[in-house]
mmCIF file of all heavy atoms in Angstrom:
data_model
loop_
_atom_site.group_PDB
_atom_site.id
_atom_site.type_symbol
_atom_site.label_atom_id
_atom_site.label_comp_id
_atom_site.label_asym_id
_atom_site.label_seq_id
_atom_site.Cartn_x
_atom_site.Cartn_y
_atom_site.Cartn_z
ATOM 1 N N ILE U 25 243.823 14.987 92.777
ATOM 2 C CA ILE U 25 243.887 14.321 94.086
ATOM 3 C C ILE U 25 244.406 15.357 95.083
ATOM 4 O O ILE U 25 245.485 15.967 94.911
ATOM 5 C CB ILE U 25 244.744 13.137 94.090
ATOM 6 C CG1 ILE U 25 244.214 12.055 93.158
ATOM 7 C CG2 ILE U 25 244.921 12.513 95.498
ATOM 8 C CD1 ILE U 25 245.036 10.830 92.952
ATOM 9 N N ASP U 207 261.543 -4.265 112.248
ATOM 10 C CA ASP U 207 262.535 -5.315 112.094
ATOM 11 C C ASP U 207 261.998 -6.400 111.188
ATOM 12 O O ASP U 207 262.667 -6.970 110.270
ATOM 13 C CB ASP U 207 262.950 -5.921 113.463
ATOM 14 C CG ASP U 207 263.902 -4.976 114.175
ATOM 15 O OD1 ASP U 207 264.315 -3.981 113.602
ATOM 16 O OD2 ASP U 207 264.161 -5.244 115.407
ATOM 17 N N ASP U 246 239.783 -0.901 95.822
ATOM 18 C CA ASP U 246 239.958 0.034 96.978
ATOM 19 C C ASP U 246 241.404 0.057 97.452
ATOM 20 O O ASP U 246 241.638 0.169 98.621
ATOM 21 C CB ASP U 246 238.999 -0.292 98.091
ATOM 22 C CG ASP U 246 238.850 0.843 99.128
ATOM 23 O OD1 ASP U 246 238.978 2.027 98.658
ATOM 24 O OD2 ASP U 246 238.727 0.578 100.309
ATOM 25 N N ALA U 262 255.802 -20.122 94.721
ATOM 26 C CA ALA U 262 254.904 -21.006 93.957
ATOM 27 C C ALA U 262 255.743 -21.810 92.985
ATOM 28 O O ALA U 262 256.624 -21.321 92.349
ATOM 29 C CB ALA U 262 253.915 -20.219 93.151
#
Side-chain angles (χ1 to χ4, degrees):
I25 295 176
D207 283 350
D246 196 33

